[in-house]
Amino acid sequence: MSAVVGRFAPSPSGYLHLGNLLALLLAWLDGRALGGKMILRMEDLDPVRTSPAYAAAIAEDLRWLGLDWDEGYPDPAFSQSTRTALYAAAFAELEKRGLVYPCWCSRAQRLAAASAPHPGEAVHDPRCPCARLSRKERLAREASGRAPAWKLRVPDLEVSVEDVHYGTYTQDLAREGGDFIIRRADGVYAYQLAVSVDDMLMGVTRVVRGRDLLSSAPRQRWLIETLGGTAPVYAHLPLLISDSGKLSKRLGSLSTQALRQELSPQALTGRLAKLCGLTETEEPLSPKELLPLFGWSRVRLEDIPMDKDMEI
Ligand code: GLU
């Protein structure tokens, strides 16, 4: 049996909020319950949206809560911004196999592609017109001088993942997922490529994250296998939702910075455990004390509404 490797993969684009913390807590519980090691990888691909200050704050929040890791941050080798050569090598390999094509679609679509897709955000065009340009049309676009983004041509193939929590999830890559951007027009490698390459090269065997990324799992599995790797096991978790939808890093009142003013790490862990269904009460306890109570069968499947009195 190969060793279990879990990962924390936050994007340092803001302070963590309660929903991020729940995902990180469950990733830690999942990895540690299996006796695995944990990696902290900073997903700071986008130089405009992320900052080293947020990366430091996130690492500090994890430590404060009692979630430890064995490898990764602050080792720069585990920050995506230093790993461009690895993404370039994977890109070249895919290009060599004729799976990559330039795309001159709108800027809004390109910007969305470098970040993880969240519900309601259009991140791909299932039938990208750029995939079918004639030689003449392509030459004309190239002559325009406008830099293209680069898309991966996915096959007409059904790919399934056995999600630990939500069961079998199947997607027709071409029809439901569609070709997707792997490098933006500004040269930044996109989330889907970077996360797949990193999970593969870091030997990650368990991916635990919010269920808004479940629909990305089949294409990540396919991409990893296409590059010759073994896909991890995926376990997605329900989202914390407020009246305006999924919590975001912009939601100040539930940011860790605000929560830490009011709660001890044990009180916050107790609250998270109750919210996701692991415990019946909000009894304060540390992540280590929660470990024996952890099991995916106890984690709720439905999203978790945040009512007003849960806000601090
Ligand atoms: N960095 C992504 C985020 O913070 C998570 C990526 C993943 O877990 O695959 O939304």
Side-chain angles (χ1 to χ4, degrees):
M1 253 234 352
S2 59
V4 171
V5 180
R7 43 78 151 182
F8 302 119
S11 302
S13 57
Y15 293 117
L16 295 175
H17 59 63
L18 204 58
N20 302 133
L21 280 180
L22 178 61
L24 296 166
L25 174 64
L26 287 175
W28 185 90
L29 290 168
D30 178 83
R32 295 304 192 203
L34 294 166
K37 80 171 185 191
M38 291 301 295
I39 288 175
L40 172 54
R41 176 171 80 227
M42 282 297 164
E43 302 217 319
D44 57 351
L45 269 179
D46 190 326
V48 177
R49 289 196 193 179
T50 63
S51 83
Y54 284 131
I58 288 170
E60 163 53 22
D61 285 342
L62 284 170
R63 268 186 222 108
W64 174 82
L65 195 65
L67 304 180
D68 61 346
W69 60 96
D70 309 290
E71 268 180 51
Y73 186 88
D75 180 345
F78 290 81
S79 288
Q80 289 188 328
S81 54
T82 71
R83 300 173 59 81
T84 308
L86 299 168
Y87 311 139
F91 182 93
E93 171 66 25
L94 296 165
E95 200 173 31
K96 205 170 76 191
R97 295 203 224 160
L99 293 172
V100 179
Y101 63 90
C103 164
W104 282 270
C105 291
S106 77
R107 185 170 171 273
Q109 191 182 23
R110 290 175 185 173
L111 281 177
S115 52
H118 296 299
E121 284 181 4
V123 290
H124 52 69
D125 173 0
R127 287 173 301 281
C128 179
C130 300
R132 295 180 302 274
L133 295 181
S134 67
R135 210 179 116 72
K136 205 172 139 207
E137 287 168 326
R138 178 165 168 171
L139 285 174
R141 280 175 178 67
E142 280 170 2
S144 75
R146 195 156 70 85
W150 296 86
K151 276 190 171 173
L152 190 60
R153 194 188 304 274
V154 295
D156 213 341
L157 181 72
E158 286 204 338
V159 174
S160 297
V161 291
E162 296 304 322
D163 187 83
V164 171
H165 199 40
Y166 289 98
T168 307
Y169 177 78
T170 305
Q171 193 178 68
D172 183 314
L173 289 186
R175 278 192 299 125
E176 292 172 71
D179 295 345
F180 56 90
I181 293 178
I182 55 172
R183 196 169 103 191
R184 295 190 331 203
D186 61 6
V188 174
Y189 288 94
Y191 161 73
Q192 301 289 359
L193 180 75
V195 82
S196 304
V197 168
D198 285 347
D199 284 338
M200 178 175 84
L201 296 183
M202 292 178 184
V204 170
T205 66
R206 308 280 296 187
V207 165
V208 177
R209 59 190 180 190
R211 68 160 191 86
D212 51 329
L213 289 172
L214 179 56
S215 64
S216 290
R219 78 184 76 153
Q220 291 172 9
R221 174 181 175 187
W222 175 76
L223 188 43
I224 289 172
E225 289 175 354
T226 300
L227 290 168
T230 305
V233 172
Y234 295 95
H236 290 83
L237 55 114
L239 303 175
L240 293 194
I241 46 170
S242 65
D243 291 346
S244 49
K246 185 189 166 231
L247 297 191
S248 85
K249 290 208 176 77
R250 290 170 286 276
L251 200 77
S253 65
L254 292 172
S255 83
T256 350
Q257 300 301 299
L259 294 165
R260 284 178 59 168
Q261 307 277 313
E262 307 290 332
L263 296 173
S264 68
Q266 293 82 5
L268 186 51
T269 304
R271 181 168 296 208
L272 290 169
K274 165 86 176 353
L275 278 176
C276 74
L278 283 177
T279 54
E280 310 266 304
T281 66
E282 282 191 9
E283 201 66 38
L285 78 185
S286 68
K288 266 209 180 82
E289 288 164 337
L290 184 56
L291 204 46
L293 304 176
F294 172 73
W296 281 105
S297 61
R298 309 176 66 153
V299 176
R300 53 189 280 169
L301 286 163
E302 327 79 59
D303 286 344
I304 305 162
M306 298 297 303
D307 50 40
K308 283 280 165 266
D309 52 300
M310 283 179 194
E311 296 193 22
I312 314 291

